[in-house]
Amino acid sequence: MYVHFDGYPDSKLPLLLATYRFRFAGDLEAMARHLIDEVHIGWEQLGTDLLDGAPDALCRTLTGGDEFPSRQLTNVCNADGTPAERELITQDGTDGLEWAYVLHETGIEVIGLLAYDRGPVVAWDTDPRSRIRTAPGAWNPEAPAPVVPPRAAPRLSATAPASALAPRKSARR
């Protein structure tokens, strides 16, 4: 499904990983229904409403404290003025797109379309706070995904108190 605003992996991948884990509690079918099947034309943007159920500290880490809703594309017309119709993105229809994300049972395949026609799969249990490279060439399907977990990060839990994800202050000497 087409998403118009900010499709780079350093913003979309953490959002999708957290969405799967918290809002949809690991239910890939429900996530796919929401993101793909129930969309009329496409998405203008994916918003922080996808983080419902995630710990507050994780939401702040991923969004900087901003809140914005997911918005579907509306009032879209073709060049000839006729109303646009739903168009699923397929491997044959990626002209002009830079990134593609394919939901698999094991994780999200991230495809840097400017360099490859497929990409590595990032496991669903990947920490959404990981550092993620955005260069399309870094997403070689034959290499590990360019995702670096955060150092000494506490485990994420849907029931963890907000303080569990807060950064620790270093001791003063």
Side-chain angles (χ1 to χ4, degrees), residues 20 24 26-34 37 105:
Y20 173 81
F24 293 101
D27 186 342
L28 183 59
E29 292 297 321
M31 183 174 166
R33 261 192 320 276
H34 179 77
D37 299 338
E105 289 292 327

Side-chain angles (χ1 to χ4, degrees), residues 67-147:
E67 290 188 25
F68 48 92
S70 295
R71 291 192 315 250
Q72 291 191 35
L73 291 167
T74 57
N75 299 321
V76 179
C77 295
N78 295 314
D80 65 3
T82 59
E85 295 180 15
R86 176 182 168 99
E87 182 179 351
L88 288 176
I89 305 300
T90 66
Q91 190 169 4
D92 296 330
T94 61
D95 293 342
L97 301 178
E98 295 180 60
W99 296 97
Y101 302 88
V102 181
L103 307 179
H104 294 278
E105 289 292 327
T106 57
I108 305 171
E109 181 180 4
V110 180
I111 307 169
L113 293 169
L114 299 178
Y116 302 103
D117 61 357
R118 57 188 191 85
V121 174
V122 177
W124 287 118
D125 63 354
T126 300
D127 192 320
R129 298 167 294 176
S130 298
R131 285 185 304 134
I132 299 166
R133 297 216 22 224
T134 60
W139 291 87
N140 182 334
E142 304 303 325
V147 175

